[in-house]
């Protein structure tokens, strides 16, 4: 193990404790997945040729997460020279296991980057091949730039989840409150959450106006992505304070569950929205597949729902004549530098496929939000049983400027640890927002950026 990779391993060990909402919290199931889709079997006989070799791809929870085999099957169907075989890892310990396998020389030819939190670790540790030539072939895909490091590109995105606003149309109708219309700022959202809560009290559906899960992403992801000139790598966190003051006000008004109840009672966003305990839910686009599957299975109740753009920082990005700003790390695939030279061209062809419109349509068919957006991809996605059919839902799904949750830097993981601790302290009432984030600035500048 070289010195750079040894240092990267140490960094990953501390970073592994962090929550990564676009990776570990992505759904383990998707509508339309069948046993046959997850078996890993490939019909080479139908092509009339035998594969010349095998490419191995990392994945996790293969029996319930069909995206990896879907991509493998799609590539295998049109590229018979190599068969892509998926190697299963533990979902919760994926990065820890992967970095150990890379060090031991036993990692697959291609492996998943769940989010950007650990990308610097892999890239700086020289555990990803330069795939700038592939990136140059992908056209206008803004998520590709997230995988740039020191002037080169080291992975390509195959999915790009972004955060949206889910809302229960039935509860809005019962409360007599106007549904979201793409013009909302966060102040509009907060006012509506209070109005819904008051209107539904004592009714047959006494839901709260909204539900905020315990993750720091619920507040910090939006604040960091939407606030002008915000950059956590500067160690300046004043932009977070108004977002937290708004959340605390919603807690005090009873319009959302308070942080203590969410944490102590181990509430889940799936049950809170799926059983109509909350009328609105800010959450990542991965939840669409989960909600469809749970409504089909009966784990979620039968009600009409829709999606709208996330509320905005101010009116400059509201309305359907603008592009709303949200956040979310991509999920990508990179190439193991230890790959056999004879396999490299096939591996790069696989990357081109997963980031293509064809690969994106294959993912859309199983409810996964792909990295490529087009009218065809959106039409495929909204053709799934149970999807809302209104114009706003389709527009919100396709129209977005997504900013990364985790900027690529060696400092990102330790800074996010400090911010997560501050998140819990502020929402639990242990410290005020002003004092809490002033203390966070002192810690980050002294303990992390000042080293």
């Amino acid at each position: 193990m070289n010195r750079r990779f040894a240092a990267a391993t140490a960094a990953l060990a501390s970073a592994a404790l962090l929550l990564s909402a676009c990776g570990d919290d992505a759904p383990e199931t998707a509508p339309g997945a069948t046993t046959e889709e997850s078996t890993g079997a490939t019909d080479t006989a139908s092509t009339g040729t035998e594969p010349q070799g095998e490419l191995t791809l990392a994945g996790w929870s293969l029996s319930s997460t069909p995206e990896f085999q879907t991509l493998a099957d799609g590539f295998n169907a049109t590229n018979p020279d190599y068969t892509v075989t998926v190697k299963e890892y533990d979902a919760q310990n994926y990065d820890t296991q992967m970095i150990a396998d890379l060090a031991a020389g036993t990692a697959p030819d291609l492996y998943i980057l769940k989010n950007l939190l650990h990308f610097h670790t892999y890239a700086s540790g020289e555990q990803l091949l330069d795939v700038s030539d592939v990136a140059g072939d992908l056209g206008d895909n803004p998520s590709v730039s997230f995988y740039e490091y020191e002037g080169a590109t080291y992975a390509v995105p195959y999915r790009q989840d972004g955060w949206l606003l889910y809302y229960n149309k039935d509860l809005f109708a019962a409360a007599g409150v106007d549904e979201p219309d793409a013009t909302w700022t966060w102040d509009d959202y907060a006012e509506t959450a209070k109005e819904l809560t008051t209107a539904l009290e004592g009714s047959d559906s006494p839901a709260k106006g909204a539900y905020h899960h315990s993750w720091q992403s619920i507040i910090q992801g939006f604040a960091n992505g939407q606030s002008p000139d915000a950059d956590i790598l500067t160690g300046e966190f004043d932009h977070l304070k108004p977002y937290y003051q708004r959340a605390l006000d919603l807690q005090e008004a009873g319009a959302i569950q308070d942080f203590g109840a969410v944490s102590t009672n181990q509430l889940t966003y799936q049950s809170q929205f799926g059983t109509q305990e909350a009328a609105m839910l800010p959450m990542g686009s991965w939840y669409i597949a989960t909600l469809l599957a749970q409504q089909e299975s009966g784990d979620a109740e039968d009600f009409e729902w829709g999606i709208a753009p996330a509320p905005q920082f101010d009116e400059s990005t509201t309305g359907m004549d603008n592009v709303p700003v949200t956040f979310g790390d991509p999920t990508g695939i990179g190439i193991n530098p230890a790959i056999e030279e004879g396999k490299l061209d096939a591996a790069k062809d696989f990357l081109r496929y997963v980031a293509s419109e064809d690969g994106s349509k294959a993912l859309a068919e199983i409810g996964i939000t792909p990295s490529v957006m087009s009218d065809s991809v959106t039409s495929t996605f909204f053709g799934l049983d149970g999807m809302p059919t209104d114009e706003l839902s389709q527009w919100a799904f396709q129209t977005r400027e997504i900013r990364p949750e985790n900027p690529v830097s060696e400092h990102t993981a330790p800074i996010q640890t400090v911010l997560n601790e501050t998140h819990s302290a502020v929402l639990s009432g242990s410290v005020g927002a002003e004092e809490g984030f002033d203390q966070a600035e002192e810690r980050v500048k002294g303990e992390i950026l000042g080293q």
Side-chain angles (χ1 to χ4, degrees), residues 3 14 16 84-85 134 144 282 295 328 342 345 367 376-377 405:
R3 290 182 180 178
S14 62
V84 177
T85 303
V134 176
V144 173
Q295 285 196 319
D345 286 344
S376 178
V377 170
E405 181 173 13

Side-chain angles (χ1 to χ4, degrees), residues 404-420:
E405 181 173 13
N406 294 291
V408 176
S409 167
E410 63 182 312
H411 299 309
T412 297
I415 289 174
Q416 292 286 35
T417 297
V418 172
L419 290 177
N420 190 39

